[in-house]
Amino acid sequence: ACEVAIIGCEPLPDGRFYLEVEGCRRCRIIKTWEQDGYRVGHVAWIQDSPPENLVSKKELQQLIKSTADLAQTWISHAQKTSQTDRDIRLSEILNSAGGTSETCEPEPFSFWVANLLHMEAAERLDLLRLTDTHERLVRELLFLQSGASKGCYVQ
């Protein structure tokens, strides 16, 4: 599961709301129950394991740079090839993804990349369940390099 922050809220005519949320941190649900009409629960927070040593940190930074470069190349290519109205929406999504930086924090960066990749839900879930940032980034880089993402789009 994931704790989220509500970053946008739009009431709908039928009384429901359209919510735009941003994931904050991952958790494992331990126990749930209903309280005052709301689903509540106890969770255990999940964080990726930090790199073991300085060499691992340097390897991780290089991996981030390689992944960022390839992701940025894909984003630029997708933006240039946007032709139809549907693709204009794609371009808007890609623009809102923002730039990447090899100086960013590894764990959030790896989640940003996972969000961009066009893959099956089960495959993405496997990525997001990992607690090793290095392993997640390696899998993402391999996916980007494999050509599986050549015709991909942002979901």
Side-chain angles (χ1 to χ4, degrees):
C2 184
E3 174 189 53
V4 298
I6 298 172
I7 58 173
C9 178
E10 186 179 318
L12 300 174
D14 64 2
R16 295 178 302 149
F17 288 85
Y18 171 79
L19 298 177
E20 186 174 349
V21 299
E22 183 175 275
C24 298
R25 55 185 174 163
R26 295 178 296 160
C27 61
R28 185 176 340 280
I29 299 171
I30 307 298
K31 179 182 175 184
T32 66
W33 64 93
E34 184 136 339
Q35 180 177 320
D36 300 327
Y38 293 97
R39 200 83 188 138
V40 295
H42 288 289
V43 299
W45 300 109
I46 302 170
Q47 280 190 298
D48 282 3
S49 305
E52 295 292 320
N53 55 48
L54 187 58
V55 173
S56 295
K57 289 179 184 176
K58 286 184 178 182
E59 287 175 9
L60 189 59
Q61 287 304 317
Q62 181 55 44
L63 185 57
I64 288 170
K65 182 175 180 353
S66 299
T67 306
D69 290 347
L70 201 51
Q72 204 57 51
T73 299
W74 174 80
I75 289 170
S76 296
H77 176 73
Q79 288 170 332
K80 287 177 188 171
T81 58
S82 294
Q83 298 297 325
T84 65
D85 288 343
R86 182 182 159 276
D87 289 339
I88 290 170
R89 178 65 186 131
L90 167 62
S91 185
E92 289 171 5
I93 292 169
L94 291 171
N95 286 332
S96 72
T100 59
S101 168
E102 61 272 6
T103 60
C104 67
E105 290 297 315
E107 187 175 345
F109 173 75
S110 70
F111 293 131
W112 179 84
V113 174
N115 186 52
L116 285 178
L117 300 177
H118 175 61
M119 55 178 45
E120 296 295 325
E123 214 175 353
R124 183 183 323 284
L125 192 54
D126 286 343
L127 272 180
L128 298 176
R129 283 184 176 150
L130 291 172
T131 57
D132 182 336
T133 305
H134 183 272
E135 177 64 23
R136 188 179 310 107
L137 285 166
V138 165
R139 290 184 188 189
E140 292 166 345
L141 183 60
L142 288 172
F143 185 86
L144 284 166
Q145 290 172 333
S146 73
S149 60
K150 293 235 187 290
C152 70
Y153 53 90
V154 175
Q155 292 187 2

PDB file of all heavy atoms in Angstrom, residues 50-72:
ATOM      1  N   PRO A  50      19.553   0.963   2.516  1.00  0.00           N
ATOM      2  CA  PRO A  50      20.585   1.873   1.999  1.00  0.00           C
ATOM      3  C   PRO A  50      21.764   1.084   1.421  1.00  0.00           C
ATOM      4  O   PRO A  50      21.996  -0.065   1.812  1.00  0.00           O
ATOM      5  CB  PRO A  50      21.011   2.671   3.229  1.00  0.00           C
ATOM      6  CG  PRO A  50      20.648   1.814   4.388  1.00  0.00           C
ATOM      7  CD  PRO A  50      19.474   0.981   3.968  1.00  0.00           C
ATOM      8  N   PRO A  51      22.524   1.697   0.487  1.00  0.00           N
ATOM      9  CA  PRO A  51      23.709   1.021  -0.038  1.00  0.00           C
ATOM     10  C   PRO A  51      24.680   0.697   1.099  1.00  0.00           C
ATOM     11  O   PRO A  51      24.814   1.459   2.048  1.00  0.00           O
ATOM     12  CB  PRO A  51      24.324   2.044  -1.000  1.00  0.00           C
ATOM     13  CG  PRO A  51      23.253   3.028  -1.284  1.00  0.00           C
ATOM     14  CD  PRO A  51      22.330   3.016  -0.104  1.00  0.00           C
ATOM     15  N   GLU A  52      25.353  -0.430   0.975  1.00  0.00           N
ATOM     16  CA  GLU A  52      26.232  -0.922   2.038  1.00  0.00           C
ATOM     17  C   GLU A  52      27.512  -0.107   2.203  1.00  0.00           C
ATOM     18  O   GLU A  52      27.998   0.078   3.297  1.00  0.00           O
ATOM     19  CB  GLU A  52      26.594  -2.387   1.781  1.00  0.00           C
ATOM     20  CG  GLU A  52      25.400  -3.321   1.865  1.00  0.00           C
ATOM     21  CD  GLU A  52      24.860  -3.437   3.277  1.00  0.00           C
ATOM     22  OE1 GLU A  52      25.656  -3.489   4.222  1.00  0.00           O
ATOM     23  OE2 GLU A  52      23.632  -3.470   3.426  1.00  0.00           O
ATOM     24  N   ASN A  53      28.095   0.362   1.097  1.00  0.00           N
ATOM     25  CA  ASN A  53      29.393   1.028   1.201  1.00  0.00           C
ATOM     26  C   ASN A  53      29.519   2.121   0.152  1.00  0.00           C
ATOM     27  O   ASN A  53      28.628   2.330  -0.662  1.00  0.00           O
ATOM     28  CB  ASN A  53      30.528   0.000   1.066  1.00  0.00           C
ATOM     29  CG  ASN A  53      30.414  -0.806  -0.218  1.00  0.00           C
ATOM     30  OD1 ASN A  53      30.227  -0.238  -1.284  1.00  0.00           O
ATOM     31  ND2 ASN A  53      30.495  -2.126  -0.112  1.00  0.00           N
ATOM     32  N   LEU A  54      30.659   2.812   0.185  1.00  0.00           N
ATOM     33  CA  LEU A  54      30.902   3.926  -0.726  1.00  0.00           C
ATOM     34  C   LEU A  54      30.889   3.473  -2.184  1.00  0.00           C
ATOM     35  O   LEU A  54      30.361   4.171  -3.050  1.00  0.00           O
ATOM     36  CB  LEU A  54      32.239   4.598  -0.387  1.00  0.00           C
ATOM     37  CG  LEU A  54      32.562   5.883  -1.130  1.00  0.00           C
ATOM     38  CD1 LEU A  54      31.469   6.922  -0.889  1.00  0.00           C
ATOM     39  CD2 LEU A  54      33.902   6.434  -0.693  1.00  0.00           C
ATOM     40  N   VAL A  55      31.450   2.294  -2.470  1.00  0.00           N
ATOM     41  CA  VAL A  55      31.454   1.771  -3.838  1.00  0.00           C
ATOM     42  C   VAL A  55      30.021   1.578  -4.320  1.00  0.00           C
ATOM     43  O   VAL A  55      29.665   1.957  -5.431  1.00  0.00           O
ATOM     44  CB  VAL A  55      32.257   0.450  -3.924  1.00  0.00           C
ATOM     45  CG1 VAL A  55      32.115  -0.175  -5.302  1.00  0.00           C
ATOM     46  CG2 VAL A  55      33.717   0.685  -3.588  1.00  0.00           C
ATOM     47  N   SER A  56      29.162   1.012  -3.459  1.00  0.00           N
ATOM     48  CA  SER A  56      27.758   0.809  -3.822  1.00  0.00           C
ATOM     49  C   SER A  56      27.070   2.139  -4.092  1.00  0.00           C
ATOM     50  O   SER A  56      26.249   2.247  -5.004  1.00  0.00           O
ATOM     51  CB  SER A  56      27.022   0.068  -2.714  1.00  0.00           C
ATOM     52  OG  SER A  56      27.540  -1.224  -2.564  1.00  0.00           O
ATOM     53  N   LYS A  57      27.393   3.159  -3.292  1.00  0.00           N
ATOM     54  CA  LYS A  57      26.792   4.483  -3.508  1.00  0.00           C
ATOM     55  C   LYS A  57      27.225   5.062  -4.849  1.00  0.00           C
ATOM     56  O   LYS A  57      26.413   5.646  -5.563  1.00  0.00           O
ATOM     57  CB  LYS A  57      27.180   5.427  -2.368  1.00  0.00           C
ATOM     58  CG  LYS A  57      26.499   5.097  -1.062  1.00  0.00           C
ATOM     59  CD  LYS A  57      26.928   6.041   0.038  1.00  0.00           C
ATOM     60  CE  LYS A  57      26.302   5.624   1.361  1.00  0.00           C
ATOM     61  NZ  LYS A  57      26.756   6.439   2.475  1.00  0.00           N
ATOM     62  N   LYS A  58      28.504   4.886  -5.203  1.00  0.00           N
ATOM     63  CA  LYS A  58      28.990   5.388  -6.493  1.00  0.00           C
ATOM     64  C   LYS A  58      28.346   4.618  -7.641  1.00  0.00           C
ATOM     65  O   LYS A  58      27.972   5.202  -8.649  1.00  0.00           O
ATOM     66  CB  LYS A  58      30.513   5.296  -6.565  1.00  0.00           C
ATOM     67  CG  LYS A  58      31.207   6.333  -5.718  1.00  0.00           C
ATOM     68  CD  LYS A  58      32.706   6.276  -5.880  1.00  0.00           C
ATOM     69  CE  LYS A  58      33.346   7.364  -5.047  1.00  0.00           C
ATOM     70  NZ  LYS A  58      34.799   7.395  -5.199  1.00  0.00           N
ATOM     71  N   GLU A  59      28.230   3.302  -7.499  1.00  0.00           N
ATOM     72  CA  GLU A  59      27.575   2.486  -8.521  1.00  0.00           C
ATOM     73  C   GLU A  59      26.125   2.925  -8.693  1.00  0.00           C
ATOM     74  O   GLU A  59      25.615   2.999  -9.809  1.00  0.00           O
ATOM     75  CB  GLU A  59      27.615   1.010  -8.133  1.00  0.00           C
ATOM     76  CG  GLU A  59      28.959   0.360  -8.259  1.00  0.00           C
ATOM     77  CD  GLU A  59      28.959  -1.066  -7.734  1.00  0.00           C
ATOM     78  OE1 GLU A  59      27.883  -1.622  -7.424  1.00  0.00           O
ATOM     79  OE2 GLU A  59      30.052  -1.636  -7.617  1.00  0.00           O
ATOM     80  N   LEU A  60      25.462   3.202  -7.572  1.00  0.00           N
ATOM     81  CA  LEU A  60      24.064   3.622  -7.612  1.00  0.00           C
ATOM     82  C   LEU A  60      23.927   4.957  -8.339  1.00  0.00           C
ATOM     83  O   LEU A  60      23.029   5.131  -9.162  1.00  0.00           O
ATOM     84  CB  LEU A  60      23.512   3.717  -6.183  1.00  0.00           C
ATOM     85  CG  LEU A  60      22.017   3.927  -6.032  1.00  0.00           C
ATOM     86  CD1 LEU A  60      21.227   2.808  -6.699  1.00  0.00           C
ATOM     87  CD2 LEU A  60      21.657   4.006  -4.552  1.00  0.00           C
ATOM     88  N   GLN A  61      24.831   5.897  -8.080  1.00  0.00           N
ATOM     89  CA  GLN A  61      24.778   7.195  -8.762  1.00  0.00           C
ATOM     90  C   GLN A  61      24.994   7.035 -10.270  1.00  0.00           C
ATOM     91  O   GLN A  61      24.350   7.704 -11.062  1.00  0.00           O
ATOM     92  CB  GLN A  61      25.802   8.169  -8.159  1.00  0.00           C
ATOM     93  CG  GLN A  61      25.408   8.684  -6.793  1.00  0.00           C
ATOM     94  CD  GLN A  61      24.043   9.362  -6.781  1.00  0.00           C
ATOM     95  OE1 GLN A  61      23.705  10.143  -7.673  1.00  0.00           O
ATOM     96  NE2 GLN A  61      23.237   9.050  -5.776  1.00  0.00           N
ATOM     97  N   GLN A  62      25.900   6.140 -10.674  1.00  0.00           N
ATOM     98  CA  GLN A  62      26.131   5.886 -12.100  1.00  0.00           C
ATOM     99  C   GLN A  62      24.898   5.243 -12.729  1.00  0.00           C
ATOM    100  O   GLN A  62      24.512   5.572 -13.848  1.00  0.00           O
ATOM    101  CB  GLN A  62      27.367   5.009 -12.307  1.00  0.00           C
ATOM    102  CG  GLN A  62      27.673   4.740 -13.764  1.00  0.00           C
ATOM    103  CD  GLN A  62      27.823   5.994 -14.594  1.00  0.00           C
ATOM    104  OE1 GLN A  62      28.474   6.957 -14.189  1.00  0.00           O
ATOM    105  NE2 GLN A  62      27.188   6.027 -15.757  1.00  0.00           N
ATOM    106  N   LEU A  63      24.282   4.336 -12.003  1.00  0.00           N
ATOM    107  CA  LEU A  63      23.070   3.679 -12.482  1.00  0.00           C
ATOM    108  C   LEU A  63      21.947   4.704 -12.654  1.00  0.00           C
ATOM    109  O   LEU A  63      21.207   4.677 -13.648  1.00  0.00           O
ATOM    110  CB  LEU A  63      22.655   2.580 -11.507  1.00  0.00           C
ATOM    111  CG  LEU A  63      21.479   1.698 -11.885  1.00  0.00           C
ATOM    112  CD1 LEU A  63      21.704   0.993 -13.219  1.00  0.00           C
ATOM    113  CD2 LEU A  63      21.236   0.670 -10.784  1.00  0.00           C
ATOM    114  N   ILE A  64      21.828   5.621 -11.714  1.00  0.00           N
ATOM    115  CA  ILE A  64      20.829   6.692 -11.811  1.00  0.00           C
ATOM    116  C   ILE A  64      21.090   7.540 -13.052  1.00  0.00           C
ATOM    117  O   ILE A  64      20.179   7.852 -13.812  1.00  0.00           O
ATOM    118  CB  ILE A  64      20.823   7.568 -10.540  1.00  0.00           C
ATOM    119  CG1 ILE A  64      20.218   6.786  -9.376  1.00  0.00           C
ATOM    120  CG2 ILE A  64      20.057   8.868 -10.763  1.00  0.00           C
ATOM    121  CD1 ILE A  64      20.376   7.472  -8.034  1.00  0.00           C
ATOM    122  N   LYS A  65      22.347   7.905 -13.274  1.00  0.00           N
ATOM    123  CA  LYS A  65      22.687   8.731 -14.429  1.00  0.00           C
ATOM    124  C   LYS A  65      22.339   8.009 -15.731  1.00  0.00           C
ATOM    125  O   LYS A  65      21.717   8.600 -16.620  1.00  0.00           O
ATOM    126  CB  LYS A  65      24.166   9.105 -14.420  1.00  0.00           C
ATOM    127  CG  LYS A  65      24.543  10.006 -15.588  1.00  0.00           C
ATOM    128  CD  LYS A  65      25.957  10.465 -15.513  1.00  0.00           C
ATOM    129  CE  LYS A  65      26.373  11.359 -16.646  1.00  0.00           C
ATOM    130  NZ  LYS A  65      25.486  11.564 -17.748  1.00  0.00           N
ATOM    131  N   SER A  66      22.703   6.736 -15.839  1.00  0.00           N
ATOM    132  CA  SER A  66      22.401   5.965 -17.052  1.00  0.00           C
ATOM    133  C   SER A  66      20.899   5.858 -17.281  1.00  0.00           C
ATOM    134  O   SER A  66      20.407   6.033 -18.403  1.00  0.00           O
ATOM    135  CB  SER A  66      22.994   4.560 -16.947  1.00  0.00           C
ATOM    136  OG  SER A  66      24.386   4.621 -16.828  1.00  0.00           O
ATOM    137  N   THR A  67      20.163   5.566 -16.220  1.00  0.00           N
ATOM    138  CA  THR A  67      18.704   5.428 -16.320  1.00  0.00           C
ATOM    139  C   THR A  67      18.068   6.770 -16.659  1.00  0.00           C
ATOM    140  O   THR A  67      17.166   6.849 -17.506  1.00  0.00           O
ATOM    141  CB  THR A  67      18.126   4.865 -15.012  1.00  0.00           C
ATOM    142  OG1 THR A  67      18.805   3.651 -14.685  1.00  0.00           O
ATOM    143  CG2 THR A  67      16.636   4.588 -15.137  1.00  0.00           C
ATOM    144  N   ALA A  68      18.529   7.849 -16.020  1.00  0.00           N
ATOM    145  CA  ALA A  68      17.991   9.187 -16.276  1.00  0.00           C
ATOM    146  C   ALA A  68      18.223   9.596 -17.724  1.00  0.00           C
ATOM    147  O   ALA A  68      17.325  10.137 -18.378  1.00  0.00           O
ATOM    148  CB  ALA A  68      18.617  10.203 -15.328  1.00  0.00           C
ATOM    149  N   ASP A  69      19.423   9.325 -18.228  1.00  0.00           N
ATOM    150  CA  ASP A  69      19.732   9.682 -19.614  1.00  0.00           C
ATOM    151  C   ASP A  69      18.812   8.943 -20.584  1.00  0.00           C
ATOM    152  O   ASP A  69      18.268   9.541 -21.515  1.00  0.00           O
ATOM    153  CB  ASP A  69      21.194   9.363 -19.940  1.00  0.00           C
ATOM    154  CG  ASP A  69      22.180  10.293 -19.235  1.00  0.00           C
ATOM    155  OD1 ASP A  69      21.741  11.333 -18.697  1.00  0.00           O
ATOM    156  OD2 ASP A  69      23.387   9.955 -19.216  1.00  0.00           O
ATOM    157  N   LEU A  70      18.637   7.653 -20.367  1.00  0.00           N
ATOM    158  CA  LEU A  70      17.791   6.856 -21.253  1.00  0.00           C
ATOM    159  C   LEU A  70      16.317   7.268 -21.128  1.00  0.00           C
ATOM    160  O   LEU A  70      15.612   7.379 -22.142  1.00  0.00           O
ATOM    161  CB  LEU A  70      17.962   5.368 -20.953  1.00  0.00           C
ATOM    162  CG  LEU A  70      17.562   4.396 -22.038  1.00  0.00           C
ATOM    163  CD1 LEU A  70      18.190   4.731 -23.384  1.00  0.00           C
ATOM    164  CD2 LEU A  70      17.954   2.988 -21.626  1.00  0.00           C
ATOM    165  N   ALA A  71      15.859   7.514 -19.908  1.00  0.00           N
ATOM    166  CA  ALA A  71      14.470   7.958 -19.704  1.00  0.00           C
ATOM    167  C   ALA A  71      14.238   9.308 -20.381  1.00  0.00           C
ATOM    168  O   ALA A  71      13.205   9.518 -21.026  1.00  0.00           O
ATOM    169  CB  ALA A  71      14.149   8.040 -18.213  1.00  0.00           C
ATOM    170  N   GLN A  72      15.201  10.205 -20.265  1.00  0.00           N
ATOM    171  CA  GLN A  72      15.069  11.528 -20.875  1.00  0.00           C
ATOM    172  C   GLN A  72      15.061  11.417 -22.399  1.00  0.00           C
ATOM    173  O   GLN A  72      14.306  12.113 -23.071  1.00  0.00           O
ATOM    174  CB  GLN A  72      16.205  12.442 -20.401  1.00  0.00           C
ATOM    175  CG  GLN A  72      15.862  13.901 -20.477  1.00  0.00           C
ATOM    176  CD  GLN A  72      14.610  14.267 -19.688  1.00  0.00           C
ATOM    177  OE1 GLN A  72      14.449  13.937 -18.521  1.00  0.00           O
ATOM    178  NE2 GLN A  72      13.690  14.949 -20.327  1.00  0.00           N
TER     179      GLN A  72
END
